[in-house]
């Protein structure tokens, strides 16, 4: 038994317009673009389930309905497939207990902090997780199968520390301005104390090269802090700024994920994730490897 309240709810901010992937995302949410055969959002939801999280809260916007459809039962499809004797287990991970998928709308894009605040009534008075689905976190494979996912590693750390946790990773110093950056305190293995947080600092002012990589466990008090949070970097209401104000009032730690991260918010990161995950697949990895070698051998280059 843990002495801290368990993490049962996760918030997925998915209202973004996905302009970097246009025209692909004109009529399809960015989160529904597939990496091999699973939409991006499914990887984050699977990671949440592995960590013991039961309720998935999507902060959506106009044109995002297919995300919710994806986690519903597809009667016609399932009926037709079972009549034809097809294996339905491919759909298992996209099925949910009724009531465990919830949505709330963010009517106007005002920043990540605002998106999270939109979920305050559903989150209620419990600690909760946040997943930014653009960040694809892949556990190391071990001899006995898949290793521990990012959120599960964070939940395990939370059981020791309580309070607030964010996942971090190190990036080259000249990239820090695209992220939230931590001011690190004492380190203990994968755990680092967080003394300060700053969103998208100029390189010269960044307190470290440890950036927030899209996974959070936060106490519900953050919703009160967000309530009167002014605009920050980029003129948006920043979650990082609200978290920074909580440091000192509650424990705050960072967990360095033992695994790989792909930035699927960028096109090259998306292609990298696609290639890496395809290469690892038992059913197609060998074929994909041959194809890649052939392509490189043909001298296809920019
Ligand atoms: C958001 C957060 C930032 C974090 C990043 C991770 O920024 O505000 O702190 O480091 O996600 O992807 P965005 O990418 O939405 O600008």
């Amino acid at each position: 038994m843990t002495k801290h309240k368990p993490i049962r709810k996760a918030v997925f901010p998915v209202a973004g317009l996905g302009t970097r992937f246009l025209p692909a995302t004109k009529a399809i949410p960015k989160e529904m673009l597939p990496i091999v055969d699973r939409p991006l959002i499914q990887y984050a939801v699977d990671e949440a389930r592995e960590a013991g999280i039961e309720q998935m809260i999507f902060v959506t916007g106009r044109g995002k309905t297919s995300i919710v459809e994806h986690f519903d039962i597809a009667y016609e499809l399932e009926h037709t497939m079972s009549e034809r004797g097809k294996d339905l287990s491919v759909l298992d991970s996209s099925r949910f207990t009724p009531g465990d998928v919830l949505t709330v709308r963010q009517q106007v894009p005002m920043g990540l902090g605002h998106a999270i605040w939109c979920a305050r009534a559903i989150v209620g008075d419990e600690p909760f997780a946040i997943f930014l689905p653009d960040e694809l976190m892949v556990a190391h494979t071990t001899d006995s199968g898949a290793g521990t996912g990012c959120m599960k590693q964070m939940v395990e750390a939370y059981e020791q520390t309580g309070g607030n946790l964010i996942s971090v990773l190190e990036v080259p110093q000249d990239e820090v301005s695209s992220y939230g950056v931590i001011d690190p305190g004492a380190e203990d293995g994968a755990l680092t104390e967080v003394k300060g947080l700053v969103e998208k600092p100029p390189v010269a002012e960044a307190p470290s090269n440890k950036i927030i990589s899209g996974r959070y466990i936060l106490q519900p008090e953050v919703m009160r802090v967000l309530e009167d949070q002014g605009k920050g970097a980029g003129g948006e209401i920043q979650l990082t700024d609200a978290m920074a104000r909580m440091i000192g009032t509650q424990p705050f730690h960072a967990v360095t994920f033992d695994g790989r991260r792909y930035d699927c918010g960028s096109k090259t990161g998306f292609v990298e994730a696609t290639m890496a995950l395809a290469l690892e697949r038992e059913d197609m990895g060998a074929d994909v490897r041959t194809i890649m070698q052939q392509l490189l051998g043909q001298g296809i280059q920019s």
Side-chain angles (χ1 to χ4, degrees), residues 12-301:
F12 302 79
V14 291
L17 296 175
T19 47
R20 275 198 258 175
F21 283 84
L22 283 170
T25 49
K26 190 176 171 193
I28 295 170
K30 167 178 76 167
E31 297 78 10
M32 289 303 291
L33 297 178
I35 303 282
V36 187
D37 52 10
R38 276 198 289 168
L40 197 48
I41 187 70
Q42 177 91 57
Y43 289 90
V45 166
D46 289 351
E47 186 190 325
R49 280 179 141 169
E50 186 218 358
I53 293 169
E54 293 154 17
Q55 294 195 336
M56 312 295 159
I57 305 164
F58 296 115
V59 181
T60 70
R62 292 165 60 76
K64 297 283 181 157
T65 319
S66 59
I67 297 176
V68 185
E69 296 272 337
H70 178 73
F71 293 103
D72 198 357
I73 292 176
Y75 282 107
E76 299 84 349
L77 178 70
E78 295 190 18
H79 179 73
T80 311
M81 282 177 73
S82 47
E83 269 195 338
R84 293 180 187 170
K86 298 230 191 264
D87 179 15
L88 287 173
S89 65
V90 286
L91 297 172
D92 282 354
S93 54
S94 57
R95 284 156 168 239
F96 267 88
T97 308
D100 277 353
V101 170
L102 302 111
T103 66
V104 62
R105 289 256 188 162
Q106 182 189 25
Q107 292 103 329
V108 188
M110 287 172 67
L112 178 59
H114 179 256
I116 300 307
W117 178 77
C118 289
R120 66 200 177 283
I122 310 180
V123 166
D125 194 25
E126 288 183 38
F128 64 105
I130 300 172
F131 291 76
L132 308 189
D134 273 359
E135 302 275 350
L136 177 49
M137 310 298 258
V138 181
H140 285 311
T141 38
T142 63
D143 291 342
S144 52
T148 309
C150 183
M151 184 52 70
K152 192 163 184 205
Q153 289 181 19
M154 292 174 71
V155 166
E156 284 169 6
Y158 168 80
E159 282 164 3
Q160 310 301 318
T161 62
N164 303 275
L165 287 138
I166 48 181
S167 70
V168 291
L169 55 89
E170 290 187 37
V171 297
Q173 194 70 32
D174 60 347
E175 290 175 20
V176 290
S177 303
S178 305
Y179 300 100
V181 181
I182 71 163
D183 181 4
E187 282 186 31
D188 178 11
L191 213 57
T192 306
E193 190 194 337
V194 178
K195 292 197 303 183
L197 285 164
V198 47
E199 181 69 13
K200 303 194 172 76
V203 173
E205 288 167 31
S208 74
N209 66 339
K210 288 192 171 185
I211 60 118
I212 308 173
S213 64
R215 300 290 183 273
Y216 310 72
I217 291 175
L218 297 178
Q219 296 299 313
E221 287 77 21
V222 72
M223 296 298 190
R224 307 293 94 71
V225 181
L226 281 167
E227 215 133 87
D228 62 3
Q229 182 63 53
K231 289 179 181 167
E236 298 190 330
I237 298 174
Q238 295 292 354
L239 180 62
T240 304
D241 295 344
M243 294 191 303
R245 287 164 64 200
M246 291 167 74
I247 296 170
T249 64
Q250 294 184 347
F252 223 112
H253 292 91
V255 177
T256 303
F257 173 47
D258 181 21
R260 283 171 293 143
R261 166 256 191 180
Y262 299 100
D263 174 13
C264 294
S266 83
K267 281 183 257 201
T268 44
F270 195 93
V271 172
E272 181 190 6
T274 304
M275 293 193 298
L277 270 58
L279 279 172
E280 276 166 19
R281 288 269 296 243
E282 264 180 34
D283 58 344
M284 61 194 276
D287 290 346
V288 172
R289 186 173 306 275
T290 309
I291 292 166
M292 283 185 188
Q293 279 161 348
Q294 278 169 358
L295 288 172
L296 290 171
Q298 285 163 10
I300 293 178
Q301 52 189 256

